[in-house]
Amino acid sequence: MTIKTKKINGKELEEIKARNIKGNTLDGKVKKYKVTVHLGTCGIASGADEIKKQVEKEIKEKELKNIIFTTSGCVGFCSREPMLTIKEPDNKMITYYDLDEEKVSVIFKEHLIGGKIAESLNPINSSSELVSFYKYQVSRVLHNRGEINSFRIEDYIAKDGYKALIKALDKSPQEVIEIVKESGLRGRGGAGFPTGIKWEFCKNAKSKTSLKYVVCNGDEGDPGAFMDRNLLESDPHSILEGILIAAYAIGAKKGYIYVRAEYPLAIKTLENAIKQAKGYGLIGEDILDSGFSFDLSIFQGAGAFVCGEETALLKSIESKRGMPVPKPPFPANEGLYGLPTLINNVETFSNVAQIILKGANWFNSMGTDKSKGTKIFALTGAVNNVGLVEVPMGMTLREIIFKVGGGIKENKKFKAVQIGGPSGGCIPEEYLDTPIDYEKVQEVGAIMGSGGMIVLDEDTCMVDFARFFMDFIQDESCGQCVPCRIGTKRMLEILTRITEGNGEEGDIEKLEELGKMIKETSLCGLGKTAPNPVLSTIKYFRKDYEEHIETHKSCKALHRKAKIKKV
Amino acid sequence: MGCLVRVKDLPKYALKDWEVGKVKEIISKYKNDKNSVIPVLREIQQSIGFLPIDVQRMVADKLKVPEKDIYGVVTFYSFFSMVPKGKYDIRVCMGTACYVKGGGKILSKIKKELGIEPGQTTRNRKYSLQINRCLGACGIAPVVVVNDKILQKVNPKKIMDIIYSYD
């Protein structure tokens, strides 16, 4: 990938856009079809690299001159990878899925050469069944998914990229903060703190050295969550633009994006994106001739779940053990190296550019009273359509699972949906009409969390499932405070005992008591929320626990565990 | 968090010359900056495959950070290992989606077949095994990673054939 190094201004940004915007145009060249192979982590693991090679080979061998061939990040439909999309001359998108060598040959023969959609492959277009996966979604944060090559900054610019930055730099920092406040955007990392207010705290914080930092939290450790990975892989510049706007608003000169080491492709994409943005002078000194300067680097995690907690994450950037520290002081006042630090999640930053570009009212016209805009969920487990979905706040869980997700696999019965990862809880059928909203989700015993959504069917043993999370937390607890270190261990022992058929009378009450104590007395968010999966399953699925204890049977003996694994 | 290893329980390993050279080269690249402990350790881990006590001492010495702090960092993060990784580093994802779809069965199969526990390496240094906490590839669960290759929708019955086929 060649990196252009020419500092640009607003006018030149428009010129780049003009060269890339029209239909199937790439750097000024207009072609009939644009073929995009989707190369996200899931896609590559499913063989998308081979598909890419085959497409390149066929184009060359058949000497097809009317095609632009490109790649992009994933389109979010993980269970149907590998996929490719053909953009027709009239901008219609036709997506082919579950590809193999044979299917690609058919696509070439019938569609790209023959000029007709290869209906035998049942592609996703307006008439197909699978379209329901996309029909109920809204593409706001994910509006570029599958459409831009994440390794080309020009593709992002063509979709109005970095225009919000120009707009923000024309305003005063306080005006930018007011827009974000008015939009009602709340932190997408899980806790839902109002973003604009956080920015304002940080702007007003006094720094000992006049230095302030912006940190992007991409340490997406929740098992079952991959929203951030997807955003980093498929639209990295939207995150960079959000960070730049935030840095300008609070007056920061230096920033870090903390990405977990488990995401190699995300790191590679991001490294390239930062290089390209630096090449155009969009990161660096005197950005877009505005006088605003900012430097940004990536910090790779080294494998510790607790580093998703903001104070632990900052310790990790300082190259220390990732141990949380008590709040206050909040990072906005005393963060990285003791200086004011704004820390927001990847998805939060991804929302910013569009809010600046389209206005606070555009953003808050969607959603509920207190939760505005959209939320991205990683929908997995026993649903038919597994993938990354973006839905308006206020949509009910039932709609997400049964409409977007296409219902439960093999026509089984729904049992529960787990949201919020190890800090969240399991929601049973009777609360499926709960709308997606920070407060409403909390009322039923879960948390919004970062957006993992795991659907469980009737065969799942909830005790075993709760034990899985406790095992995870117990292993990932940093160990500095007693309730979390020892309390989670004791809870795990009891849960293991129950699932092995050795549960005792009174175990459920012990779990409840321990859970309550750990919640109240732990130091950080990890410990304070660790008992949630257990407490919520006791609340809604007490029968599963009682059955184990009364019959003295293990999960296997209850014929559950064996079934779980066939989901 | 991490696993506590008693230093005296670790297998003795004399660093080879090229390894010492590589470690020195990496440390000097970071200009003895004590805030770059994690990046330095990560690069060494990737380059020579592990972080034995001797290497930790070299890092501590050059970056002027107490040895105990380096040891603290190495044992805290799961990507750092004091045991050499095998030629084929096998990581089994135990995230929720993978667990629900049988990640545990895959792990037991590999453990049994290779005779090692997570965090260990086979005697011939060919295979090492780790548990991974969610790779975010839940759509294609259960997932196993061998070096950089991600294996999707893994069948416990076939996993060993796939792993052996690399050699």
Side-chain angles (χ1 to χ4, degrees), chain A residues 207-213 331-341:
Chain A
S207 169
K208 284 179 274 186
T209 63
S210 86
L211 254 182
K212 285 180 188 175
Y213 293 102
N333 291 312
E334 277 179 49
L336 193 58
Y337 301 113
L339 301 173
T341 304

CSV table of all heavy atoms in Angstrom, one decimal, chain A residues 207-213 331-341:
chain,number,residue,atom,x,y,z
A,207,SER,N,-4.5,21.1,34.0
A,207,SER,CA,-3.4,20.1,33.8
A,207,SER,C,-2.1,20.8,34.4
A,207,SER,O,-1.8,21.9,34.2
A,207,SER,CB,-3.1,19.8,32.4
A,207,SER,OG,-2.0,19.2,32.2
A,208,LYS,N,-1.3,19.9,35.1
A,208,LYS,CA,-0.1,20.4,35.7
A,208,LYS,C,0.9,20.9,34.7
A,208,LYS,O,1.7,21.8,34.9
A,208,LYS,CB,0.6,19.2,36.5
A,208,LYS,CG,-0.1,18.9,37.8
A,208,LYS,CD,0.6,17.8,38.5
A,208,LYS,CE,0.0,16.5,38.0
A,208,LYS,NZ,0.4,15.3,38.7
A,209,THR,N,0.8,20.3,33.5
A,209,THR,CA,1.9,20.6,32.5
A,209,THR,C,1.3,21.2,31.2
A,209,THR,O,1.9,21.3,30.2
A,209,THR,CB,2.6,19.3,32.1
A,209,THR,OG1,1.7,18.5,31.5
A,209,THR,CG2,3.3,18.6,33.2
A,210,SER,N,0.0,21.5,31.3
A,210,SER,CA,-0.8,21.9,30.1
A,210,SER,C,-1.0,20.8,29.1
A,210,SER,O,-1.7,21.0,28.1
A,210,SER,CB,-0.2,23.1,29.4
A,210,SER,OG,0.8,22.7,28.4
A,211,LEU,N,-0.5,19.6,29.4
A,211,LEU,CA,-0.8,18.4,28.5
A,211,LEU,C,-2.1,17.7,28.9
A,211,LEU,O,-2.4,17.6,30.1
A,211,LEU,CB,0.4,17.4,28.6
A,211,LEU,CG,1.4,17.3,27.5
A,211,LEU,CD1,2.4,16.2,27.8
A,211,LEU,CD2,0.7,17.0,26.2
A,212,LYS,N,-2.8,17.3,27.9
A,212,LYS,CA,-4.0,16.4,28.1
A,212,LYS,C,-3.9,15.3,27.1
A,212,LYS,O,-3.3,15.4,26.1
A,212,LYS,CB,-5.3,17.2,28.0
A,212,LYS,CG,-5.6,18.2,29.1
A,212,LYS,CD,-6.8,18.9,28.9
A,212,LYS,CE,-7.0,20.0,30.0
A,212,LYS,NZ,-8.1,20.9,29.8
A,213,TYR,N,-4.6,14.2,27.5
A,213,TYR,CA,-4.6,13.0,26.6
A,213,TYR,C,-6.0,12.7,26.2
A,213,TYR,O,-7.0,12.9,26.9
A,213,TYR,CB,-4.0,11.8,27.3
A,213,TYR,CG,-2.5,12.0,27.6
A,213,TYR,CD1,-2.1,12.3,28.9
A,213,TYR,CD2,-1.6,11.8,26.6
A,213,TYR,CE1,-0.7,12.4,29.1
A,213,TYR,CE2,-0.2,11.8,26.9
A,213,TYR,CZ,0.2,12.2,28.1
A,213,TYR,OH,1.6,12.2,28.4
A,331,PRO,N,-10.4,9.8,35.6
A,331,PRO,CA,-9.3,10.1,34.6
A,331,PRO,C,-9.5,11.5,34.0
A,331,PRO,O,-8.4,12.1,33.6
A,331,PRO,CB,-9.6,9.0,33.6
A,331,PRO,CG,-10.2,7.9,34.3
A,331,PRO,CD,-11.1,8.6,35.4
A,332,ALA,N,-10.7,12.0,33.9
A,332,ALA,CA,-10.8,13.4,33.3
A,332,ALA,C,-10.0,14.4,34.1
A,332,ALA,O,-9.6,15.4,33.5
A,332,ALA,CB,-12.3,13.8,33.3
A,333,ASN,N,-9.8,14.2,35.4
A,333,ASN,CA,-8.9,15.1,36.2
A,333,ASN,C,-7.5,14.5,36.3
A,333,ASN,O,-6.6,15.3,36.1
A,333,ASN,CB,-9.5,15.3,37.5
A,333,ASN,CG,-10.8,16.1,37.5
A,333,ASN,OD1,-10.8,17.1,36.8
A,333,ASN,ND2,-11.9,15.6,38.1
A,334,GLU,N,-7.4,13.3,36.7
A,334,GLU,CA,-6.1,12.7,36.9
A,334,GLU,C,-6.0,11.3,36.2
A,334,GLU,O,-6.5,10.3,36.8
A,334,GLU,CB,-5.7,12.5,38.4
A,334,GLU,CG,-5.2,13.8,39.0
A,334,GLU,CD,-4.9,13.5,40.5
A,334,GLU,OE1,-4.3,12.5,40.8
A,334,GLU,OE2,-5.4,14.4,41.3
A,335,GLY,N,-5.6,11.3,35.0
A,335,GLY,CA,-5.6,10.1,34.2
A,335,GLY,C,-4.2,9.6,33.9
A,335,GLY,O,-3.4,9.4,34.8
A,336,LEU,N,-3.9,9.5,32.6
A,336,LEU,CA,-2.6,9.0,32.2
A,336,LEU,C,-1.5,9.8,32.7
A,336,LEU,O,-1.5,11.1,32.5
A,336,LEU,CB,-2.6,8.9,30.6
A,336,LEU,CG,-1.4,8.2,30.0
A,336,LEU,CD1,-1.4,6.7,30.4
A,336,LEU,CD2,-1.6,8.3,28.4
A,337,TYR,N,-0.5,9.2,33.3
A,337,TYR,CA,0.7,9.9,34.0
A,337,TYR,C,0.2,11.1,34.9
A,337,TYR,O,0.8,12.1,35.0
A,337,TYR,CB,1.6,10.5,32.9
A,337,TYR,CG,2.2,9.4,32.0
A,337,TYR,CD1,1.9,9.3,30.7
A,337,TYR,CD2,3.1,8.4,32.5
A,337,TYR,CE1,2.4,8.3,29.8
A,337,TYR,CE2,3.6,7.4,31.7
A,337,TYR,CZ,3.2,7.4,30.4
A,337,TYR,OH,3.7,6.4,29.6
A,338,GLY,N,-1.0,10.9,35.4
A,338,GLY,CA,-1.5,11.9,36.4
A,338,GLY,C,-2.1,13.2,35.7
A,338,GLY,O,-2.5,14.1,36.4
A,339,LEU,N,-2.2,13.1,34.4
A,339,LEU,CA,-2.8,14.3,33.7
A,339,LEU,C,-4.2,14.1,33.2
A,339,LEU,O,-4.6,12.9,33.0
A,339,LEU,CB,-1.9,14.6,32.5
A,339,LEU,CG,-0.4,14.9,32.8
A,339,LEU,CD1,0.5,15.0,31.6
A,339,LEU,CD2,-0.3,16.1,33.7
A,340,PRO,N,-5.0,15.2,32.9
A,340,PRO,CA,-6.3,15.0,32.5
A,340,PRO,C,-6.4,14.1,31.2
A,340,PRO,O,-5.7,14.4,30.3
A,340,PRO,CB,-6.8,16.4,32.2
A,340,PRO,CG,-5.9,17.3,33.1
A,340,PRO,CD,-4.6,16.6,33.1
A,341,THR,N,-7.3,13.1,31.3
A,341,THR,CA,-7.4,12.2,30.2
A,341,THR,C,-8.8,11.9,29.8
A,341,THR,O,-9.6,11.5,30.7
A,341,THR,CB,-6.7,10.9,30.5
A,341,THR,OG1,-5.3,11.2,30.9
A,341,THR,CG2,-6.7,9.9,29.4
